Amino acid sequence: MEKEKIIEILQSLGINETNSGATTGGEKGWITSNCHELVSYSPMDGQPIARVAMADRRAYDTIMEKAVTAFESFKMMPAPKRGEMVREIGNLLRKKKEALGTLISLETGKIKAEGLGEVQEMIDIADFAQGLSRQLYGLTMHSERPLHRMYEQWHPLGIVGIITAFNFPCAVWAWNALIAAVCGDVCLFKPSSKTPLTAIAIQNIIAPVVDKYGAEGVFNLIIGTRQDVGEPMLNDSRIPLISATGSTAMGKRVGAVVGERLGHTLLELGGNNAIIVTEDADMDMAIRATLFGAVGTAGQRCTSTRRIIVQSSVREVFVSRLINAYKQVQIGNPLDEKTLMGPLIDAGAMADMDRALAAALEQGGHLLYGGNHVTVEGFENGFYVTPAIVAVKNHYSIVQQETFAPILYIIDYDSLDQAIELHNQVPQGLSSAIFTGSIYHQEQFLSHKGSDCGIANVNIGTSGAEIGGAFGGEKDTGGGRESGSDAWRIYMRRQTNTINWGRDLPLAQGIEFNISPANTI
């Protein structure tokens, strides 16, 4: 893309050549810092887009002070009014969808359709959160004691720390921040250092609503190093919840540090997602789902399809058709509507892919397709590869790991029991799917003896979850749940209330502890 067009897009989102990396959310809430600069590079061509003045520890302390103050007033705003505020944020996102979606593509390398889809996900979450603002329900319970009433209610939790990865720089923020906001919380957003401009754009977009509702300090952004920002967030007892998206190794660090101070964590970590293809599966559907799951976002989704566990009798046909489909994938400029796969995020991701492929072959695998570096005309310095298909055994150590790249492993099976066993024999447990025409196979996959993942689909791929369901996984994926269903509860604290409206003081469990009131005078 021409430099002039990039500047036009950035300016439409309030981004200049050099930008501050800390703000309390309002139009005048930017905080200056003397720390070093962070350059955002586009994986499309390896060229710099803009620079960000990173926040230092002093800026972190300033932001936290404002967040603490903001929470005291914001938690008293009625939840439906908070929902109205989030609705207006959604409307502003609608107006900026084209520009923000383009910036996501520029900064992450995902194709334009996926960039726009991510903004749409933010809009959907805003709509969901507004409805949720009138449904933060508690329960009523029957007391065993006469003339007593019991119920539970939910209160705002406090400051929510949000740490995100590069691959979904907007949607994951929305999952957390917009739902936390209707719950009465304030947030502190630390984005990936690879996508700082998208985070700044979000803050600029929502600033008019923040000012209108007097909500400065509710949506806070801080871009800084692990030393100046990351570790202080994990250790800060003023942040009762840290929501972190990233690698399993990162999640273990977050869990250990936050757990040491008895804080709460919401962890969305690695995936090693598989699709089981049975002999009676609809092959057209299975091929299409596999292609999007493995190639979409250049294999850089936590829900990307990493393994295909295919019935031996249909393996040859499936693989042959899949390779033909892969040959039709146009690789290149993610802003070109004909492109189906853009670049990897950076040179490090390309090196990781190379190492994983070498390891798979060394351990006994066979390369069936792809795995090459690609030079795209006009984007010679971009990080482009052909997606790879490799025949392997599930127990290979490299197959047990998540490689954030478009590598798809093909694994054979004979019986469905064997397929499910292979499926579950990885450390991660995020997303899973089965393609089958059998109700028996479907129900076995969804039963207690089936998939051990947080997400289990039938005749749908592993990627592309809707916002209405709770998103997250088990085992090394961290156990967190975000987005829909009752995921809002982690952003609030539960309180059980018992009211005695009688004149006696009976105890529970039939305990008697009698004393004459006259003797207490």
Side-chain angles (χ1 to χ4, degrees):
M1 178 178 287
E2 299 84 359
K3 184 68 174 178
E4 294 75 15
K5 182 63 175 177
I6 293 175
I7 292 174
E8 180 183 337
I9 292 169
L10 294 178
Q11 289 179 342
S12 72
L13 295 169
I15 298 174
N16 302 310
E17 177 61 22
T18 303
N19 310 271
S20 175
T23 176
T24 54
E27 291 180 339
K28 300 179 181 179
W30 293 94
I31 297 171
T32 58
S33 174
N34 296 320
C35 200
H36 60 277
E37 288 184 335
L38 172 67
V39 180
S40 174
Y41 294 92
S42 175
M44 292 170 53
D45 54 13
Q47 298 302 306
I49 305 174
R51 297 169 295 159
V52 176
M54 296 178 74
D56 55 17
R57 182 57 188 267
R58 182 177 178 181
Y60 172 83
D61 292 335
T62 299
I63 288 281
M64 281 301 300
E65 289 171 6
K66 291 181 178 293
V68 169
T69 300
F71 176 62
E72 291 305 311
S73 57
F74 187 64
K75 68 182 180 181
M76 299 307 296
M77 181 186 292
K81 186 174 181 180
R82 299 193 296 256
E84 187 69 15
M85 179 187 70
V86 169
R87 182 187 68 82
E88 293 193 30
I89 287 175
N91 288 339
L92 290 180
L93 290 169
R94 285 179 170 89
K95 294 179 180 179
K96 295 292 185 177
K97 179 178 177 178
E98 178 70 22
L100 185 56
T102 303
L103 177 57
I104 291 171
S105 292
L106 280 170
E107 204 168 31
T108 68
K110 64 172 63 176
I111 62 174
K112 180 72 172 294
E114 291 189 77
L116 294 174
E118 184 168 351
V119 182
Q120 185 60 50
E121 192 165 349
M122 301 172 75
I123 294 167
D124 294 344
I125 281 287
D127 291 344
F128 177 86
Q130 186 201 8
L132 181 64
S133 69
R134 294 179 181 270
Q135 301 177 73
L136 302 175
Y137 299 137
L139 299 173
T140 59
M141 290 78 72
H142 289 281
S143 174
E144 66 184 63
R145 291 169 284 185
L147 308 184
H148 281 60
R149 179 162 66 91
M150 291 181 64
Y151 67 97
E152 67 179 24
Q153 58 181 336
W154 295 82
H155 296 292
L157 187 62
I159 301 173
V160 177
I162 304 171
I163 301 172
T164 62
F166 75 86
N167 57 337
F168 282 90
C170 285
V172 176
W173 171 84
W175 290 355
N176 287 275
L178 299 186
I179 292 180
V182 300
C183 291
D185 300 325
V186 306
C187 70
L188 179 61
F189 176 29
K190 182 186 183 301
S192 167
S193 61
K194 298 176 183 180
T195 53
L197 301 180
T198 302
I200 291 171
I202 293 172
Q203 296 296 107
N204 289 336
I205 290 170
I206 70 174
V209 173
V210 171
D211 290 336
K212 175 181 176 179
Y213 283 83
E216 182 179 355
V218 172
F219 299 102
N220 303 286
L221 168 68
I222 189 155
I223 300 169
T225 65
R226 174 178 174 178
Q227 179 181 0
D228 288 331
V229 176
E231 288 298 319
M233 284 179 67
L234 302 187
N235 286 281
D236 199 330
S237 61
R238 295 172 295 179
I239 305 178
L241 173 64
I242 294 287
S243 175
T245 302
S247 68
T248 297
M250 181 271 279
K252 289 180 178 179
R253 171 65 182 172
V254 172
V257 176
V258 178
E260 181 68 22
R261 61 176 174 86
L262 299 182
H264 301 281
T265 55
L266 195 171
L267 301 176
E268 296 289 358
L269 311 176
N272 197 345
N273 316 293
I275 296 176
I276 295 175
V277 180
T278 67
E279 59 185 348
D280 60 354
D282 184 317
M283 285 296 164
D284 289 338
M285 290 176 61
I287 294 292
R288 289 168 57 197
T290 299
L291 189 67
F292 176 70
V295 172
T297 324
Q300 296 172 120
R301 292 182 177 219
C302 54
T303 55
S304 289
T305 305
R306 311 257 176 234
R307 296 176 296 143
I308 293 293
I309 303 172
V310 59
Q311 220 281 337
S312 300
S313 65
V314 296
R315 177 194 184 280
E316 184 175 346
V317 172
F318 179 87
V319 171
S320 176
R321 292 189 59 182
L322 184 63
I323 290 174
N324 287 335
Y326 266 50
K327 290 178 179 178
Q328 299 175 45
V329 174
Q330 182 162 322
I331 301 163
N333 176 8
L335 297 178
D336 186 335
E337 64 180 16
K338 297 178 182 178
T339 299
L340 289 182
M341 191 178 108
L344 293 174
I345 188 64
D346 55 24
M350 291 182 75
D352 287 344
M353 180 173 178
D354 292 342
R355 283 192 291 268
L357 286 173
L361 300 183
E362 182 180 337
Q363 293 167 26
H366 300 280
L367 182 64
L368 303 177
Y369 180 82
N372 304 310
H373 293 191
V374 176
T375 299
V376 177
E377 185 177 355
F379 300 90
E380 285 78 10
N381 294 320
F383 308 108
Y384 299 92
V385 297
T386 54
I389 302 174
V390 189
V392 297
K393 298 296 184 182
N394 196 67
H395 67 268
Y396 293 172
S397 61
I398 191 61
V399 178
Q400 295 288 308
Q401 303 169 24
E402 178 191 46
T403 301
F404 229 50
I407 301 175
L408 182 67
Y409 298 119
I410 303 294
I411 301 161
D412 298 353
Y413 80 89
D414 293 318
S415 69
L416 185 60
D417 285 340
Q418 180 192 14
I420 292 175
E421 183 178 2
L422 290 168
H423 175 280
N424 293 344
Q425 284 180 347
V426 292
Q428 308 83 1
L430 179 52
S431 187
S432 61
I434 187 171
F435 276 80
T436 182
S438 166
I439 293 178
Y440 171 76
H441 290 160
Q442 164 188 314
E443 293 303 319
Q444 184 174 348
F445 181 72
L446 298 178
S447 72
H448 297 320
K449 62 181 294 186
S451 169
D452 63 359
C453 293
I455 299 169
N457 298 327
V458 176
N459 295 329
I460 301 171
T462 63
S463 200
E466 297 181 31
I467 63 101
F471 179 90
E474 302 301 323
K475 302 191 297 187
D476 278 5
T477 302
R481 293 295 185 275
E482 293 173 314
S483 192
S485 185
D486 64 349
W488 61 270
R489 294 180 180 225
I490 197 168
Y491 305 102
M492 305 195 80
R493 59 181 179 88
R494 187 198 309 249
Q495 185 180 77
T496 300
N497 306 112
T498 306
I499 299 171
N500 178 2
W501 55 278
R503 295 294 184 181
D504 296 321
L505 193 64
L507 299 176
Q509 291 84 48
I511 296 173
E512 293 190 10
F513 195 76
N514 294 322
I515 186 171
S516 172
N519 295 333
T520 64
I521 299 176

